[in-house]
Amino acid sequence: MRPAFAPISRFGPVLTALVLVGGCAGSGSRSEPPPPPVTEMVPVVDAAPDRTAAPGADAPPPADAPAPRSPDAPGDGWAEATLAQMSLRQKVGQMIMPFVLGDYAPEGSPGHDRIVRMLEEQEIGGLIVSVGSPTDVALKLNDFQRHSRLPLLVGADMESGAGFRLRGAVHLPGNVPLGGATEFPPPMAVGATGSAELAYEMGRITALEARAVGVHVPFAPVLDVNSNPDNPIINTRSFGEQPREVARLGAAFIRGVQEHGAIATAKHFPGHGDTETDSHLALPVIRSPREHLDSVELVPFRAAVESGVGAIMTAHIAVPSLSGEEETPSTLAEGVLTDLLRRDLGFEGLLFTDAMDMDAIDARFPRGEASVRAVIAGADVVLMPPSVPEAADALVDAVRQGRISEARIDRSALAILRVKERMGLHRQRTVDLDRVGRVVGVPSHEAVADDVAKRSVTLLRNRGDLLPLLGTRSARVLSVSLRRDSDLMAGRTFDGVLRNRYPRLVTATLTRDTRPEIYRELALDAQRSDLVVVSLYVNWSQAASDEPLPEGITDFIAELERSGTPHVVVSFGNPYLLREVPSSRAYLLAWSGAETSQRAAARALFEGRLTGRMPIQLPSWFSIGDGLIAAPLAGDGR
């Protein structure tokens, strides 16, 4: 799904602004305690809401609520009774989940009233919420729940924790981060730790924080096996390249989510890892034979189904060996969703489409027709259709024309209603706003994210035993950061840690548009420095370009080596960038530009033992399981 970005202007009459920045194997040698035993999916809240109580009184249960009930346990009949009273149009509405921004939107504002109209006129069954602060999202979702005749099922992309969407607010012009939910390093960092325990903890914390703000379905984990280094859309969103490791860590994450009150969503079925095309922009085609898919792409999804995953999200990719067609996305292919996933793999949970406004779908099919074909293929929920009325009208017309039976609509609508019932949403649908600050982004959760970041940092090259650094306070150190124009936080935490060690630290920020003369000035500055640290804040989406790094930065790093200037290159994102800077003297993988990853990477420069190991290959360079332990001390005074 498309990330949401707010445009930023450095200059202008506005004195303050709020920027919401947001974004769809290890060595196996470490021993660790196993995660808690598997229980079933989601808890049921037994207390009926008191509509006359004070605001927030109808809050969800605390973290120590009774054990979750099995998804197969009988409910109290609310779902069946509700379905029996619904019109065809209302049942179709339950199957549609549009996008809503998580910003503050008071009553009467266009953003607020647009969703209220959908709730009242289209009677949609749920929402997918994007970037915002935890309190704004909780407040907004409470308001929309009260406007809806039936309780809403709410999803959100939370691939690296609730902070994936509910973190990143920056107050300008002071450039002050305002905090938010816990943001973990991406799944590939968890893969670098090789720890199922940490994967479970990431799922647990994601679920607790999601439910605290009113999100019931975190759209995670990503179970794509990132087997293609040139993949422009998955990359660090995957746990790694080994199917069994992705399955093992993914299953642990799923248990963590579902044992703590939320519904995990395995994505993107049948596997988006072996592609060089971004499905946001075009239709990827994976030509692997069925035998290969069984041994690679389908391994994690089969494990997820066996683990009782509550939901799966489709991939907008064509897989001819499964569908028999090169032009049909899996989202619209009955052979993939019904025959393979439902019949062969035995999946019985909710089946979400990926965002229907992505060009792999929206640029190729009429909008209403795409929704109809997704439901015929087997989808329960049509996610983010470009036009909700068009999608609903098309589905109703398809029933009246005999293309879809009303019994087929009933099956999906009833499945959605039963999930709401089992989660207790028919009894209480809003959250306690006072509880958000006691659960979301609390220090104990941030400490787990810090542990993931620390254990994931991976050292791949250390020529001349440059690392670990001594941190000599008199050393002159130059820190150069390459970032997107909109990435205001790139380098902030990393340089802050370095400055504590090196009071004479000099910093510079580069973008793709940096002029050649700036690089020439930096080269002169580097010659006067005892050490140069180059940080590359290049994420997976930027890897889609033909040139992942601008020529200026690759030439700058090559010149550092030619001139003999001691230097370290740190990748805060795309781990495959070593192919672009092969002359780097020391090369460190931090996996993301999250605050916790920046802090861990900076500290790793001074530590002698790093435990991260490669969950992927760098062809012709490094293999799965590679990772260096730096020498005890560097003796050159840096």
Side-chain angles (χ1 to χ4, degrees):
M1 281 152 285
R2 290 186 174 93
F5 297 102
I8 303 165
S9 175
R10 184 178 175 186
F11 305 105
V14 182
L15 295 179
T16 61
L18 185 66
V19 181
L20 294 173
V21 183
C24 142
S27 63
S29 61
R30 291 182 289 278
S31 61
E32 57 192 37
V38 178
T39 61
E40 297 290 354
M41 188 166 64
V42 292
V44 173
V45 182
D46 293 324
D50 178 2
R51 296 299 180 192
T52 64
D58 53 341
D64 57 355
R69 181 184 294 186
S70 165
D72 297 323
D76 59 15
W78 174 85
E80 287 78 3
T82 301
L83 183 73
Q85 299 173 8
M86 296 173 72
S87 67
L88 173 60
R89 180 68 180 227
Q90 289 172 325
K91 287 183 284 191
V92 163
Q94 287 296 298
M95 301 170 63
I96 297 175
M97 183 180 284
F99 167 90
V100 59
L101 193 62
D103 61 336
Y104 174 71
E107 290 198 22
S109 65
H112 174 273
D113 289 356
R114 178 180 66 88
I115 300 298
V116 169
R117 284 194 298 272
M118 287 188 196
L119 295 172
E120 295 177 349
E121 297 172 8
Q122 305 298 331
E123 296 197 48
I124 54 176
L127 296 166
I128 169 174
V129 64
S130 191
V131 292
S133 76
T135 49
D136 282 340
V137 167
L139 179 68
K140 195 170 197 175
L141 292 177
N142 275 359
D143 177 54
F144 290 152
Q145 289 283 14
R146 293 186 179 107
H147 277 284
S148 180
R149 186 177 71 88
L150 295 177
L152 298 168
L153 188 68
V154 181
D157 280 326
M158 294 185 171
E159 298 171 9
S160 55
F164 189 69
R165 283 293 181 258
L166 309 185
R167 194 178 186 90
V170 179
H171 186 268
L172 301 177
N175 206 27
V176 178
L178 301 182
T182 303
E183 182 179 15
F184 285 83
M188 195 168 283
V190 179
T193 73
S195 172
E197 179 185 16
L198 288 179
Y200 178 92
E201 282 296 288
M202 184 175 172
R204 177 184 70 86
I205 291 167
T206 299
L208 293 177
E209 297 194 0
R211 289 304 305 272
V213 301
V215 172
H216 316 109
V217 189
F219 290 138
V222 172
L223 293 187
D224 303 310
V225 179
N226 199 71
S227 56
N228 189 335
D230 296 317
N231 194 315
I233 187 171
I234 302 302
N235 205 278
T236 57
R237 300 166 67 195
S238 166
F239 286 107
E241 187 175 341
Q242 290 181 306
R244 292 187 182 278
E245 275 296 282
V246 174
R248 182 176 70 91
L249 298 175
F253 182 95
I254 289 166
R255 291 195 299 270
V257 169
Q258 298 193 167
E259 290 173 11
H260 293 87
I263 300 175
T265 309
K267 61 185 190 182
H268 307 81
F269 186 82
H272 210 315
D274 186 15
T275 176
E276 296 179 12
T277 303
D278 184 346
S279 53
H280 293 89
L281 307 176
L283 177 66
V285 180
I286 295 180
R287 305 186 187 279
S288 301
R290 174 62 189 266
E291 295 77 13
H292 177 84
L293 297 172
D294 279 330
S295 64
V296 180
E297 280 80 6
L298 296 178
V299 171
F301 290 100
R302 188 175 290 111
V305 172
E306 292 171 354
S307 296
V309 69
I312 286 179
M313 181 181 289
T314 69
H316 297 332
I317 57 174
V319 188
S321 62
L322 297 178
S323 67
E325 302 177 62
E326 291 200 3
E327 298 297 322
T328 301
S330 294
T331 298
L332 310 184
E334 189 172 3
V336 178
L337 303 191
T338 297
D339 297 344
L340 173 59
L341 181 57
R342 294 290 194 190
R343 186 191 65 200
D344 296 352
L345 270 62
F347 176 64
E348 298 179 350
L350 287 183
L351 183 50
F352 291 82
T353 72
D354 203 344
M356 297 293 280
D357 63 352
M358 293 164 59
D359 283 352
I361 297 288
D362 194 41
R364 301 171 66 86
F365 300 91
R367 289 177 171 179
E369 176 64 14
S371 297
V372 169
R373 293 185 61 172
V375 172
I376 291 174
D380 295 308
V381 180
V382 178
L383 188 67
M384 293 174 59
S387 168
V388 169
E390 283 186 52
D393 288 345
L395 286 168
V396 170
D397 289 345
V399 173
R400 291 173 176 163
Q401 295 164 6
R403 296 180 64 194
I404 303 175
S405 69
E406 188 162 358
R408 167 67 186 87
I409 299 295
D410 287 352
R411 285 199 299 274
S412 288
L414 182 59
I416 295 163
L417 293 170
R418 281 176 172 168
V419 166
K420 295 178 181 182
E421 179 181 356
R422 288 167 185 151
M423 300 192 84
L425 302 183
H426 64 309
R427 293 193 175 114
Q428 56 185 47
R429 59 177 78 177
T430 59
V431 298
D432 180 357
L433 297 179
D434 290 336
R435 189 168 174 266
V436 174
R438 299 196 298 270
V439 176
V440 180
V442 295
S444 61
H445 293 176
E446 295 284 349
V448 177
D450 285 343
D451 193 29
V452 173
K454 177 181 178 181
R455 293 170 60 178
S456 70
V457 176
T458 305
L459 179 62
L460 292 182
R461 177 176 290 168
N462 191 24
R463 292 173 177 164
D465 289 338
L466 178 63
L467 303 178
L469 302 172
L470 289 177
T472 305
R473 295 183 66 80
S474 60
R476 190 180 191 279
V477 177
L478 172 63
S479 177
V480 178
S481 299
L482 174 71
R483 65 168 176 83
R484 302 186 311 274
D485 288 330
S486 61
D487 190 357
L488 301 184
M489 304 310 294
R492 180 188 177 98
T493 299
F494 182 78
D495 287 342
V497 175
L498 288 186
R499 184 166 282 108
N500 288 336
R501 297 288 193 120
Y502 298 120
R504 299 177 63 194
L505 181 76
V506 176
T507 63
T509 299
L510 309 173
T511 70
R512 287 186 175 273
D513 297 326
T514 296
R515 300 186 307 276
E517 56 265 30
I518 301 299
Y519 280 106
R520 288 194 291 269
E521 293 174 6
L522 276 179
L524 294 174
D525 205 6
Q527 293 176 12
R528 298 189 292 267
S529 300
D530 299 307
L531 173 72
V532 178
V533 182
V534 181
S535 300
L536 305 175
Y537 294 86
V538 178
N539 63 16
W540 53 266
S541 61
Q542 291 171 289
S545 67
D546 292 334
E547 296 181 355
L549 294 177
E551 184 178 358
I553 196 70
T554 57
D555 289 347
F556 175 73
I557 294 171
E559 178 58 30
L560 292 176
E561 181 60 25
R562 283 193 296 269
S563 65
T565 304
H567 63 280
V568 181
V569 176
V570 186
S571 174
F572 289 99
N574 181 8
Y576 299 102
L577 293 178
L578 182 61
R579 298 180 299 179
E580 310 299 320
V581 287
S583 62
S584 307
R585 184 170 299 188
Y587 188 77
L588 203 68
L589 295 178
W591 307 105
S592 84
E595 180 181 349
T596 186
S597 297
Q598 291 189 45
R599 186 163 47 245
R603 291 172 177 171
L605 296 178
F606 306 94
E607 295 177 0
R609 182 172 180 81
L610 302 179
T611 60
R613 296 294 178 266
M614 290 288 284
I616 56 171
Q617 300 180 73
L618 285 178
S620 303
W621 295 92
F622 296 100
S623 301
I624 292 171
D626 283 352
L628 299 176
I629 298 175
L633 282 176
D636 55 8
R638 282 182 292 273

